[in-house]
Amino acid sequence: LFLICFNSSRFLIKGGLAGAAVYVAYDQGLLGTGTEGAEALKKAQETLPPAIQEWTNYLGWEVRAAQLPPTPKFDFSLSDSWNKGVHTVMSALSVAPTRACEYTVEGWKYVKDLVK
């Protein structure tokens, strides 16, 4: 009984964290169009260094701006990458039945050759 409660609570916690992550991504505009995603990335690049500096000051760490690595520059279209991924998956799914038949025939030939 303890194990069932423990597993179900872990499931609920993980589901809650995943839901919160999706909500934050949606709220920040990451799930919108490519321009909304680019604006959210620009906003994050502007906000992140001051936030890191604030936390290091709060924790008492001596960190100078020169020691922090520069924020990465992303120069790609999020919508193009998404579309390419969708096309790749759909292409793989469309040839899956044919490939499965081909592999089955080859497997049967192999087994028949072993039996002989």
Side-chain angles (χ1 to χ4, degrees):
L1 181 63
F2 172 74
L3 188 59
I4 293 171
C5 291
F6 181 71
N7 285 338
S8 62
S9 65
R10 280 181 45 197
F11 175 75
L12 291 174
I13 290 170
K14 287 180 180 181
L17 290 173
V22 170
Y23 172 75
V24 168
Y26 176 77
D27 187 47
Q28 295 298 318
L30 295 176
L31 300 178
T33 63
T35 55
E36 291 174 353
E39 290 173 7
L41 180 62
K42 183 178 178 183
K43 181 179 173 184
Q45 288 175 338
E46 293 171 354
T47 306
L48 194 58
I52 291 173
Q53 187 65 41
E54 181 180 335
W55 274 99
T56 55
N57 291 341
Y58 177 75
L59 295 173
W61 295 343
E62 178 91 19
V63 177
R64 292 180 181 82
Q67 292 177 336
L68 294 175
T71 56
K73 303 288 186 220
F74 295 108
D75 190 25
F76 68 95
S77 172
L78 198 56
S79 62
D80 288 344
S81 299
W82 175 263
N83 291 339
K84 183 178 178 185
V86 169
H87 285 292
T88 302
V89 168
M90 290 301 140
S91 173
L93 289 175
S94 69
V95 298
T98 306
R99 293 283 165 87
C101 289
E102 291 173 2
Y103 294 147
T104 304
V105 169
E106 289 177 19
W108 277 113
K109 282 182 185 178
Y110 179 74
V111 169
K112 286 181 183 178
D113 290 342
L114 285 178
V115 172
K116 289 182 181 181

